[in-house]
Amino acid sequence: MLHSRVLRYIDEVARCGSIRGASERLNVAASAINKHVLQLEEEIGEPLFERLPRGLRLTPAGDILVAHVRRTMKEYNQVEAEIRDIKALQSGEVIIATMNGLAGGIVPKAVATFGARHPRLKITIRVMFARDIVQAVSDGEADLGFAFNLPPAPQLETLWKMDTRLGAVVAPEHPLVGMETLPLASCQPYPLIFADRSMQIHGIVADAFAQAGVEVEPTYLTNSIEAMKCLAAAGDGIAFLSKFDITEEQRNGMLTYLQIRDRTFGKNVLSLVQREKRSHGLAASMFAEEIMRSLRSAME
């Protein structure tokens, strides 16, 4: 700390051009600053400042030393930041705002893996609608946002983005399992499980059937992805979700994803975002990397 203090004294004297100015800026006695400057000049064997009638000016030796001082202080600040990040991994918190389907699948898997490596770090998962996720990340109430079809927001930085087209989600023993691709018309005879109108995927699914000229009436409507998955797994109903919605269920053999023919469905974009132009802690950045690893694994 003494070394750091002397560096700040020298740097401030150079910036202010006087001992008095540095004293006022640092709130340190001018005599103490002058003493350190004189001691350093004696150790180096060269004057660092020219004493002028109206202040001080760096000598060539002073120019070299101040450049070194500023590099050292910058590196010291980086070291302090890295130490703070280590402390954050031991006692900090990461808040991720996401949707209920992702909160029941890929997010908790990433949280469990990350938490096993950093057991003292607190992870908070908040389930919200897309517009509320954007607001929470923009306002700094969440470190990361992870959701489908987020509305555009210039204040957000996208870390990962992919069009994850919807498909037919059915039980493994469903009669349609085995078809390489599925025309929408083939879904018509079965109980259909739709998201209700409060969810964006309702419009994506309803528009797809309308454009295909297939008239349908859903048997089940819900605003819960979990309910949609349970209904599909329990019988011969068909839900319309992305692969990422059923990552764990597909791995456990509870549900199967069937691709719809001719890419009938509109875009269903999954994004991981953070607030732009904000200093992001190491914990949040590392957790974002864990989410992206889980996404790449789910795509394999």
Side-chain angles (χ1 to χ4, degrees), residues 64-203:
I64 294 171
L65 180 66
V66 167
H68 165 73
V69 163
R70 289 172 181 169
R71 286 196 304 270
T72 301
M73 290 178 68
K74 183 178 180 180
E75 291 174 2
Y76 181 70
N77 290 337
Q78 291 172 343
V79 168
E80 285 188 317
E82 289 174 10
I83 292 172
R84 285 195 300 270
D85 283 338
I86 290 172
K87 290 180 179 179
L89 288 176
Q90 296 173 343
S91 60
E93 179 182 17
V94 177
I95 301 172
I96 181 166
T98 188
M99 293 175 157
N100 64 8
L102 298 168
I106 201 163
V107 171
K109 183 177 184 296
V111 168
T113 302
F114 188 75
R117 291 200 300 269
H118 307 286
R120 295 185 181 180
L121 188 67
K122 180 180 177 182
I123 306 289
T124 298
I125 303 170
R126 294 182 181 166
V127 175
M128 305 177 180
F129 289 113
R131 62 181 179 277
D132 299 319
I133 291 172
V134 168
Q135 194 65 49
V137 178
S138 298
D139 292 345
E141 295 176 2
D143 298 293
L144 300 168
F146 183 49
F148 293 102
N149 306 315
L150 289 173
Q155 65 271 35
L156 297 187
E157 175 188 359
T158 301
L159 302 174
W160 190 91
K161 184 176 182 179
M162 182 179 181
D163 181 10
T164 58
R165 297 283 175 144
L166 299 176
V169 171
V170 297
E173 62 276 8
H174 195 282
L176 295 178
V177 171
M179 297 183 66
E180 188 172 338
T181 57
L182 200 65
L184 276 181
S186 64
C187 301
Q188 194 175 32
Y190 300 97
L192 300 183
I193 307 161
F194 276 26
D196 72 13
R197 293 181 182 276
S198 69
M199 302 180 71
Q200 288 182 310
I201 57 173
H202 174 90

Side-chain angles (χ1 to χ4, degrees), residues 244-285:
F244 291 106
D245 287 314
I246 63 163
T247 301
E248 290 305 304
E249 290 83 0
Q250 193 163 22
R251 182 178 286 114
N252 296 333
M254 295 173 59
L255 289 171
T256 298
Y257 174 91
L258 303 176
Q259 184 177 332
I260 300 297
R261 187 172 297 171
D262 301 325
R263 298 181 68 84
T264 307
F265 288 121
K267 288 187 176 182
N268 185 50
V269 178
L270 179 60
S271 303
L272 177 66
V273 299
Q274 66 183 7
R275 187 177 174 187
E276 197 176 39
K277 297 179 182 177
R278 177 186 174 186
S279 178
H280 301 284
L282 178 62
S285 297

Side-chain angles (χ1 to χ4, degrees), residues 34-48 51:
N34 188 52
K35 177 183 175 182
H36 284 296
V37 171
L38 292 173
Q39 285 178 341
L40 194 54
E41 287 181 322
E42 185 176 347
E43 288 178 14
I44 291 174
E46 288 285 338
L48 301 175
R51 274 66 176 178

